[in-house]
Structure formats: structure tokens, C-alpha cells
Amino acid sequence: MLESIGTPAGSDPKDKSVISGAIVTQSDLGAMARGTRSNINRRLKEWERAGIIKIQDRSITVLNRTMLERNLLNNESNF
């Protein structure tokens, strides 16, 4: 999804990408992940506390794509 709708947010687009809330909502993310909006919200907050993403002004900035991918692979069925 980062490759298709993400926008590079710095000098290293592999690690920093932004997805705007105007483009995709938490409900959209839930539908894509086969989960609920509340589960998506909870997971986003966990990732924000861990420094993997930053949520600001209805957008999500991926700060550490490698950690995000690892987290997704380890917890794929927990949405």
C-alpha cells in the first residue's frame, strides 16, 4: 500500500512514507486487513508508541518500515 498511495516524506523513501487520512481511513484499513476500525486504531496506537509510525493531522508517517513489516509478519492474524 505504501508504494501505491504513499508519498515519500524524506530523503529515504524506503523508511519514511506518508499515507494521508484524506485518502484512506481507519475503516478502510480495517476492511483491507479484515479487521475492525477499533482493532486498527489500537494497533496504530501501539505502533506509534513503539516509534514505528507517527500519526498527525489525519496522516500516518511510517518512520521505520522494516519494523512495521516485521510487526505485520509476526502478528498477521491478530487484527
Side-chain angles (χ1 to χ4, degrees), residues 39-53:
N39 285 345
I40 295 299
N41 186 9
R42 188 172 24 253
R43 184 60 53 96
L44 290 173
K45 293 298 180 188
E46 288 172 13
W47 292 340
E48 188 173 34
R49 284 190 298 272
I52 296 170
I53 64 170

Side-chain angles (χ1 to χ4, degrees), residues 33 61 77:
T61 303
S77 62

Side-chain angles (χ1 to χ4, degrees), residues 15 47 50-52 64-73:
D15 281 338
W47 292 340
I52 296 170
N64 189 326
R65 185 173 177 168
T66 302
M67 289 301 297
L68 178 62
E69 290 171 352
R70 285 182 188 160
N71 195 287
L72 286 170
L73 290 173

